[in-house]
Amino acid sequence: MLNTWVVAPTCLPLVLRRCHSCASETFRANGKFRVNANHKLLDVWLLVLCTGCGDTAKLTVLERAHVRSVRPELLDRMHDNDPGLAAELLQDPGVRRRNRVALDWDGAWRLDTGGSDHLDREVIDVSVRFAARIPVRPVRLISEGCGLPRAEVERLITAGKLVSAVRLDGKLSGDFSFLLKR
């Protein structure tokens, strides 16, 4: 029987960027946008607050975009300070690259295994789905989901009792599956 685990965000991740006012390197997004219109051109920024001093920094979302090129429902979401849109934009690789920022997901996600009834089986077949692009080590997910120490998970991989079509070392942010034989 195939079990499905879901890695889901619990809050917005921290934005890693140096503050110009203090020594802090983390900012918290609160879902607020600033929209500036200059005739028929729009500039849109996602506002982030320094966790050290509280200063505001702007992450560029749109720059000199023609008003008609922006979908009205997207513009409405920006005007309404939609936190869901902020989460989508923070995960957009283009926005992160343009603003030279990275995300810190520590403490901002949870693993939903659907219960612990699968733990006593001889063979566990699991499909792991990501609700957002959250980079997590598969060893950590398997450790948390099966209630095993990480060293034990790594030993099972080495012994060939934990197999997957993807490499289980490093970080993944995309769906994968694995088979655990006890």
PDB file of all heavy atoms in Angstrom, residues 50-75:
ATOM      1  N   CYS A  50      13.633  43.766   8.385  1.00  0.00           N
ATOM      2  CA  CYS A  50      14.838  43.231   9.007  1.00  0.00           C
ATOM      3  C   CYS A  50      14.470  42.638  10.367  1.00  0.00           C
ATOM      4  O   CYS A  50      13.749  43.266  11.153  1.00  0.00           O
ATOM      5  CB  CYS A  50      15.884  44.331   9.172  1.00  0.00           C
ATOM      6  SG  CYS A  50      17.362  43.786  10.037  1.00  0.00           S
ATOM      7  N   THR A  51      14.972  41.438  10.643  1.00  0.00           N
ATOM      8  CA  THR A  51      14.676  40.810  11.931  1.00  0.00           C
ATOM      9  C   THR A  51      15.495  41.435  13.057  1.00  0.00           C
ATOM     10  O   THR A  51      15.175  41.259  14.223  1.00  0.00           O
ATOM     11  CB  THR A  51      14.951  39.292  11.881  1.00  0.00           C
ATOM     12  OG1 THR A  51      16.311  39.076  11.496  1.00  0.00           O
ATOM     13  CG2 THR A  51      14.016  38.597  10.912  1.00  0.00           C
ATOM     14  N   GLY A  52      16.553  42.183  12.705  1.00  0.00           N
ATOM     15  CA  GLY A  52      17.391  42.823  13.721  1.00  0.00           C
ATOM     16  C   GLY A  52      16.888  44.189  14.124  1.00  0.00           C
ATOM     17  O   GLY A  52      16.634  44.456  15.296  1.00  0.00           O
ATOM     18  N   CYS A  53      16.717  45.086  13.141  1.00  0.00           N
ATOM     19  CA  CYS A  53      16.380  46.477  13.464  1.00  0.00           C
ATOM     20  C   CYS A  53      14.979  46.888  12.997  1.00  0.00           C
ATOM     21  O   CYS A  53      14.512  47.969  13.349  1.00  0.00           O
ATOM     22  CB  CYS A  53      17.413  47.415  12.862  1.00  0.00           C
ATOM     23  SG  CYS A  53      17.461  47.410  11.065  1.00  0.00           S
ATOM     24  N   GLY A  54      14.323  46.067  12.185  1.00  0.00           N
ATOM     25  CA  GLY A  54      12.977  46.398  11.739  1.00  0.00           C
ATOM     26  C   GLY A  54      12.908  47.277  10.508  1.00  0.00           C
ATOM     27  O   GLY A  54      11.822  47.666  10.083  1.00  0.00           O
ATOM     28  N   ASP A  55      14.061  47.629   9.930  1.00  0.00           N
ATOM     29  CA  ASP A  55      14.063  48.433   8.700  1.00  0.00           C
ATOM     30  C   ASP A  55      13.386  47.672   7.568  1.00  0.00           C
ATOM     31  O   ASP A  55      13.432  46.448   7.511  1.00  0.00           O
ATOM     32  CB  ASP A  55      15.497  48.785   8.293  1.00  0.00           C
ATOM     33  CG  ASP A  55      15.960  50.101   8.882  1.00  0.00           C
ATOM     34  OD1 ASP A  55      15.238  50.664   9.725  1.00  0.00           O
ATOM     35  OD2 ASP A  55      17.049  50.561   8.488  1.00  0.00           O
ATOM     36  N   THR A  56      12.814  48.412   6.658  1.00  0.00           N
ATOM     37  CA  THR A  56      12.128  47.814   5.517  1.00  0.00           C
ATOM     38  C   THR A  56      13.052  47.807   4.305  1.00  0.00           C
ATOM     39  O   THR A  56      13.722  48.786   4.018  1.00  0.00           O
ATOM     40  CB  THR A  56      10.861  48.624   5.172  1.00  0.00           C
ATOM     41  OG1 THR A  56      10.006  48.654   6.321  1.00  0.00           O
ATOM     42  CG2 THR A  56      10.111  48.005   4.015  1.00  0.00           C
ATOM     43  N   ALA A  57      13.047  46.673   3.608  1.00  0.00           N
ATOM     44  CA  ALA A  57      13.761  46.558   2.339  1.00  0.00           C
ATOM     45  C   ALA A  57      12.732  46.170   1.286  1.00  0.00           C
ATOM     46  O   ALA A  57      11.674  45.619   1.602  1.00  0.00           O
ATOM     47  CB  ALA A  57      14.867  45.514   2.424  1.00  0.00           C
ATOM     48  N   LYS A  58      13.035  46.484   0.033  1.00  0.00           N
ATOM     49  CA  LYS A  58      12.102  46.189  -1.055  1.00  0.00           C
ATOM     50  C   LYS A  58      12.708  45.147  -1.985  1.00  0.00           C
ATOM     51  O   LYS A  58      13.851  45.291  -2.418  1.00  0.00           O
ATOM     52  CB  LYS A  58      11.792  47.453  -1.861  1.00  0.00           C
ATOM     53  CG  LYS A  58      11.182  48.567  -1.036  1.00  0.00           C
ATOM     54  CD  LYS A  58      10.802  49.766  -1.868  1.00  0.00           C
ATOM     55  CE  LYS A  58      12.015  50.506  -2.353  1.00  0.00           C
ATOM     56  NZ  LYS A  58      11.717  51.797  -2.974  1.00  0.00           N
ATOM     57  N   LEU A  59      11.921  44.108  -2.276  1.00  0.00           N
ATOM     58  CA  LEU A  59      12.317  43.120  -3.276  1.00  0.00           C
ATOM     59  C   LEU A  59      11.538  43.440  -4.543  1.00  0.00           C
ATOM     60  O   LEU A  59      10.301  43.464  -4.534  1.00  0.00           O
ATOM     61  CB  LEU A  59      11.994  41.704  -2.809  1.00  0.00           C
ATOM     62  CG  LEU A  59      12.634  41.253  -1.498  1.00  0.00           C
ATOM     63  CD1 LEU A  59      12.233  39.820  -1.185  1.00  0.00           C
ATOM     64  CD2 LEU A  59      14.137  41.392  -1.542  1.00  0.00           C
ATOM     65  N   THR A  60      12.234  43.692  -5.637  1.00  0.00           N
ATOM     66  CA  THR A  60      11.588  44.074  -6.890  1.00  0.00           C
ATOM     67  C   THR A  60      10.803  42.906  -7.461  1.00  0.00           C
ATOM     68  O   THR A  60      11.338  41.815  -7.654  1.00  0.00           O
ATOM     69  CB  THR A  60      12.634  44.545  -7.917  1.00  0.00           C
ATOM     70  OG1 THR A  60      13.343  45.643  -7.351  1.00  0.00           O
ATOM     71  CG2 THR A  60      11.977  44.973  -9.214  1.00  0.00           C
ATOM     72  N   VAL A  61       9.516  43.148  -7.736  1.00  0.00           N
ATOM     73  CA  VAL A  61       8.651  42.154  -8.372  1.00  0.00           C
ATOM     74  C   VAL A  61       8.447  42.538  -9.835  1.00  0.00           C
ATOM     75  O   VAL A  61       8.654  41.732 -10.736  1.00  0.00           O
ATOM     76  CB  VAL A  61       7.292  42.052  -7.640  1.00  0.00           C
ATOM     77  CG1 VAL A  61       6.357  41.095  -8.362  1.00  0.00           C
ATOM     78  CG2 VAL A  61       7.500  41.623  -6.193  1.00  0.00           C
ATOM     79  N   LEU A  62       8.039  43.783 -10.075  1.00  0.00           N
ATOM     80  CA  LEU A  62       7.882  44.324 -11.428  1.00  0.00           C
ATOM     81  C   LEU A  62       8.620  45.650 -11.505  1.00  0.00           C
ATOM     82  O   LEU A  62       8.587  46.449 -10.565  1.00  0.00           O
ATOM     83  CB  LEU A  62       6.404  44.555 -11.760  1.00  0.00           C
ATOM     84  CG  LEU A  62       5.494  43.341 -11.845  1.00  0.00           C
ATOM     85  CD1 LEU A  62       4.048  43.777 -12.046  1.00  0.00           C
ATOM     86  CD2 LEU A  62       5.929  42.426 -12.972  1.00  0.00           C
ATOM     87  N   GLU A  63       9.248  45.858 -12.645  1.00  0.00           N
ATOM     88  CA  GLU A  63       9.988  47.103 -12.832  1.00  0.00           C
ATOM     89  C   GLU A  63       9.623  47.696 -14.182  1.00  0.00           C
ATOM     90  O   GLU A  63       9.817  47.068 -15.220  1.00  0.00           O
ATOM     91  CB  GLU A  63      11.491  46.800 -12.767  1.00  0.00           C
ATOM     92  CG  GLU A  63      12.346  48.010 -12.595  1.00  0.00           C
ATOM     93  CD  GLU A  63      13.776  47.611 -12.261  1.00  0.00           C
ATOM     94  OE1 GLU A  63      14.232  46.539 -12.699  1.00  0.00           O
ATOM     95  OE2 GLU A  63      14.433  48.390 -11.564  1.00  0.00           O
ATOM     96  N   ARG A  64       9.046  48.894 -14.146  1.00  0.00           N
ATOM     97  CA  ARG A  64       8.662  49.606 -15.369  1.00  0.00           C
ATOM     98  C   ARG A  64       7.802  48.754 -16.295  1.00  0.00           C
ATOM     99  O   ARG A  64       7.994  48.722 -17.504  1.00  0.00           O
ATOM    100  CB  ARG A  64       9.895  50.103 -16.121  1.00  0.00           C
ATOM    101  CG  ARG A  64      10.709  51.106 -15.351  1.00  0.00           C
ATOM    102  CD  ARG A  64       9.951  52.409 -15.282  1.00  0.00           C
ATOM    103  NE  ARG A  64      10.691  53.408 -14.532  1.00  0.00           N
ATOM    104  CZ  ARG A  64      10.099  54.207 -13.655  1.00  0.00           C
ATOM    105  NH1 ARG A  64       8.825  54.116 -13.429  1.00  0.00           N
ATOM    106  NH2 ARG A  64      10.795  55.118 -13.030  1.00  0.00           N
ATOM    107  N   ALA A  65       6.844  48.041 -15.695  1.00  0.00           N
ATOM    108  CA  ALA A  65       5.935  47.205 -16.483  1.00  0.00           C
ATOM    109  C   ALA A  65       4.753  48.060 -16.943  1.00  0.00           C
ATOM    110  O   ALA A  65       4.208  48.865 -16.173  1.00  0.00           O
ATOM    111  CB  ALA A  65       5.430  46.030 -15.656  1.00  0.00           C
ATOM    112  N   HIS A  66       4.354  47.894 -18.182  1.00  0.00           N
ATOM    113  CA  HIS A  66       3.200  48.623 -18.704  1.00  0.00           C
ATOM    114  C   HIS A  66       1.952  48.112 -17.983  1.00  0.00           C
ATOM    115  O   HIS A  66       1.791  46.912 -17.775  1.00  0.00           O
ATOM    116  CB  HIS A  66       3.074  48.432 -20.216  1.00  0.00           C
ATOM    117  CG  HIS A  66       2.201  49.459 -20.846  1.00  0.00           C
ATOM    118  ND1 HIS A  66       0.835  49.354 -20.865  1.00  0.00           N
ATOM    119  CD2 HIS A  66       2.511  50.641 -21.452  1.00  0.00           C
ATOM    120  CE1 HIS A  66       0.331  50.413 -21.475  1.00  0.00           C
ATOM    121  NE2 HIS A  66       1.331  51.206 -21.837  1.00  0.00           N
ATOM    122  N   VAL A  67       1.062  49.028 -17.597  1.00  0.00           N
ATOM    123  CA  VAL A  67      -0.132  48.686 -16.823  1.00  0.00           C
ATOM    124  C   VAL A  67      -0.939  47.584 -17.501  1.00  0.00           C
ATOM    125  O   VAL A  67      -1.405  46.653 -16.850  1.00  0.00           O
ATOM    126  CB  VAL A  67      -1.012  49.943 -16.606  1.00  0.00           C
ATOM    127  CG1 VAL A  67      -2.325  49.570 -15.950  1.00  0.00           C
ATOM    128  CG2 VAL A  67      -0.283  50.968 -15.775  1.00  0.00           C
ATOM    129  N   ARG A  68      -1.093  47.659 -18.809  1.00  0.00           N
ATOM    130  CA  ARG A  68      -1.917  46.670 -19.523  1.00  0.00           C
ATOM    131  C   ARG A  68      -1.262  45.295 -19.597  1.00  0.00           C
ATOM    132  O   ARG A  68      -1.924  44.322 -19.906  1.00  0.00           O
ATOM    133  CB  ARG A  68      -2.238  47.176 -20.915  1.00  0.00           C
ATOM    134  CG  ARG A  68      -3.170  48.362 -20.845  1.00  0.00           C
ATOM    135  CD  ARG A  68      -3.552  48.816 -22.227  1.00  0.00           C
ATOM    136  NE  ARG A  68      -4.264  50.068 -22.118  1.00  0.00           N
ATOM    137  CZ  ARG A  68      -5.359  50.324 -22.775  1.00  0.00           C
ATOM    138  NH1 ARG A  68      -5.840  49.449 -23.613  1.00  0.00           N
ATOM    139  NH2 ARG A  68      -5.959  51.473 -22.622  1.00  0.00           N
ATOM    140  N   SER A  69       0.037  45.213 -19.312  1.00  0.00           N
ATOM    141  CA  SER A  69       0.712  43.913 -19.360  1.00  0.00           C
ATOM    142  C   SER A  69       0.524  43.121 -18.059  1.00  0.00           C
ATOM    143  O   SER A  69       0.855  41.944 -17.994  1.00  0.00           O
ATOM    144  CB  SER A  69       2.202  44.084 -19.633  1.00  0.00           C
ATOM    145  OG  SER A  69       2.849  44.654 -18.523  1.00  0.00           O
ATOM    146  N   VAL A  70      -0.025  43.763 -17.036  1.00  0.00           N
ATOM    147  CA  VAL A  70      -0.244  43.109 -15.748  1.00  0.00           C
ATOM    148  C   VAL A  70      -1.716  42.690 -15.662  1.00  0.00           C
ATOM    149  O   VAL A  70      -2.611  43.520 -15.844  1.00  0.00           O
ATOM    150  CB  VAL A  70       0.111  44.056 -14.580  1.00  0.00           C
ATOM    151  CG1 VAL A  70      -0.105  43.374 -13.241  1.00  0.00           C
ATOM    152  CG2 VAL A  70       1.537  44.549 -14.714  1.00  0.00           C
ATOM    153  N   ARG A  71      -1.919  41.390 -15.384  1.00  0.00           N
ATOM    154  CA  ARG A  71      -3.299  40.889 -15.266  1.00  0.00           C
ATOM    155  C   ARG A  71      -4.024  41.624 -14.133  1.00  0.00           C
ATOM    156  O   ARG A  71      -3.457  41.806 -13.050  1.00  0.00           O
ATOM    157  CB  ARG A  71      -3.301  39.390 -14.985  1.00  0.00           C
ATOM    158  CG  ARG A  71      -2.752  38.558 -16.130  1.00  0.00           C
ATOM    159  CD  ARG A  71      -2.913  37.047 -15.907  1.00  0.00           C
ATOM    160  NE  ARG A  71      -2.868  36.592 -14.533  1.00  0.00           N
ATOM    161  CZ  ARG A  71      -1.762  36.229 -13.883  1.00  0.00           C
ATOM    162  NH1 ARG A  71      -0.599  36.312 -14.473  1.00  0.00           N
ATOM    163  NH2 ARG A  71      -1.834  35.803 -12.636  1.00  0.00           N
ATOM    164  N   PRO A  72      -5.261  42.061 -14.368  1.00  0.00           N
ATOM    165  CA  PRO A  72      -5.993  42.811 -13.334  1.00  0.00           C
ATOM    166  C   PRO A  72      -6.116  42.061 -12.007  1.00  0.00           C
ATOM    167  O   PRO A  72      -5.998  42.674 -10.948  1.00  0.00           O
ATOM    168  CB  PRO A  72      -7.369  43.046 -13.959  1.00  0.00           C
ATOM    169  CG  PRO A  72      -7.142  42.943 -15.430  1.00  0.00           C
ATOM    170  CD  PRO A  72      -6.025  41.979 -15.612  1.00  0.00           C
ATOM    171  N   GLU A  73      -6.337  40.735 -12.057  1.00  0.00           N
ATOM    172  CA  GLU A  73      -6.483  39.985 -10.797  1.00  0.00           C
ATOM    173  C   GLU A  73      -5.163  39.932 -10.027  1.00  0.00           C
ATOM    174  O   GLU A  73      -5.155  39.959  -8.803  1.00  0.00           O
ATOM    175  CB  GLU A  73      -7.042  38.572 -11.028  1.00  0.00           C
ATOM    176  CG  GLU A  73      -6.179  37.664 -11.870  1.00  0.00           C
ATOM    177  CD  GLU A  73      -6.415  37.789 -13.366  1.00  0.00           C
ATOM    178  OE1 GLU A  73      -7.226  38.619 -13.813  1.00  0.00           O
ATOM    179  OE2 GLU A  73      -5.754  37.049 -14.104  1.00  0.00           O
ATOM    180  N   LEU A  74      -4.029  39.923 -10.745  1.00  0.00           N
ATOM    181  CA  LEU A  74      -2.725  39.960 -10.096  1.00  0.00           C
ATOM    182  C   LEU A  74      -2.506  41.319  -9.429  1.00  0.00           C
ATOM    183  O   LEU A  74      -2.061  41.397  -8.278  1.00  0.00           O
ATOM    184  CB  LEU A  74      -1.610  39.687 -11.110  1.00  0.00           C
ATOM    185  CG  LEU A  74      -0.186  39.732 -10.587  1.00  0.00           C
ATOM    186  CD1 LEU A  74       0.047  38.655  -9.541  1.00  0.00           C
ATOM    187  CD2 LEU A  74       0.810  39.596 -11.725  1.00  0.00           C
ATOM    188  N   LEU A  75      -2.870  42.372 -10.119  1.00  0.00           N
ATOM    189  CA  LEU A  75      -2.744  43.719  -9.563  1.00  0.00           C
ATOM    190  C   LEU A  75      -3.639  43.880  -8.334  1.00  0.00           C
ATOM    191  O   LEU A  75      -3.226  44.468  -7.320  1.00  0.00           O
ATOM    192  CB  LEU A  75      -3.093  44.754 -10.632  1.00  0.00           C
ATOM    193  CG  LEU A  75      -2.687  46.186 -10.365  1.00  0.00           C
ATOM    194  CD1 LEU A  75      -1.206  46.296 -10.061  1.00  0.00           C
ATOM    195  CD2 LEU A  75      -3.052  47.057 -11.554  1.00  0.00           C
TER     196      LEU A  75
END
